[in-house]
Amino acid sequence: NAYNLDPKPPDFLQSLRYHAPSYCRQIIGGGSAAVGRSPLCPPWGRALSTREIDTLMAYLEALDRAGAPPPPVGQASAGGVSP
């Protein structure tokens, strides 16, 4: 659903390159409002355990290392979630 948001949300893989892992974990756990950004990114801290968040971070970092391009805007990624 990112394609219909204004302003467009940032690419999380880009954020990994510029922010500390703790900052990205805070966004996953508390949503983007937890770091003073838009409240549109929901918090996952109650749905995901610390271990699951760590696994998600490792997955995102692996995508970044692999240089995987993001899916085209408006199309679902392999995980079924639109960017």
Side-chain angles (χ1 to χ4, degrees):
N1 292 333
Y3 66 91
N4 65 358
L5 297 177
D6 187 25
K8 301 275 186 238
D11 181 341
F12 202 73
L13 287 179
Q14 294 292 326
S15 295
L16 286 174
R17 295 178 188 140
Y18 301 108
H19 298 291
S22 60
Y23 180 84
C24 295
R25 280 185 178 83
Q26 188 175 3
I27 292 172
I28 294 168
S32 52
V35 295
R37 299 191 67 179
S38 166
L40 296 176
C41 176
W44 290 97
R46 291 185 180 183
L48 300 176
S49 68
T50 300
R51 183 179 175 143
E52 289 170 319
I53 291 173
D54 290 343
T55 301
L56 177 58
M57 286 294 299
Y59 173 73
L60 293 171
E61 290 166 354
L63 284 178
D64 184 41
R65 282 192 304 276
V73 174
Q75 293 186 9
S77 65
V81 178
S82 293

